[in-house]
Amino acid sequence: MQSGIRDRCVADGVRMIAQPYDRNSTTLLDDIENLVDATHVDGLILTPPVSDYPQVLDLLQRRGVRFVRVSPGSALELAPSTFIDNAAAAAT
């Protein structure tokens, strides 16, 4: 997934920063907020399971940070979303 995103960013002249997080960390919200503050990102791509964490979604909405959710399971109206065809992806 990162490779495809990177290729698209390069084609569009956009810089991509990949930042892994521990979804079980007690500092997850602080870590994301610190990333937003330090980098002034234009937007985030949220992958599962973080794409369904209400606290993360609320934080980004309050901060006015644009985001796209990959394969969200709920609240589809919150932000643009994309879904993965797992069967097709496994076949390639």
Side-chain angles (χ1 to χ4, degrees):
M1 187 180 330
Q2 281 185 2
S3 177
I5 293 169
R6 186 197 66 239
D7 291 348
R8 179 58 188 254
C9 287
V10 169
D12 289 349
V14 176
R15 182 177 300 203
M16 180 185 108
I17 300 169
Q19 181 66 49
Y21 289 104
D22 177 359
R23 67 179 185 221
N24 297 315
S25 171
T26 59
T27 63
L28 177 64
L29 292 176
D30 291 334
D31 294 342
I32 292 172
E33 193 156 28
N34 289 337
L35 172 74
V36 169
D37 289 341
T39 62
H40 307 287
V41 296
D42 292 322
L44 297 174
I45 299 171
L46 304 177
T47 57
V50 176
S51 57
D52 276 321
Y53 281 13
Q55 300 90 336
V56 171
L57 303 176
D58 181 59
L59 168 69
L60 297 176
Q61 287 180 315
R62 281 188 290 106
R63 295 291 308 267
V65 177
R66 296 180 294 177
F67 58 94
V68 173
R69 299 165 66 202
V70 177
S71 298
S74 63
L76 300 179
E77 71 284 352
L78 287 179
S81 304
T82 186
F83 294 86
I84 298 168
D85 182 341
N86 289 325
T92 58

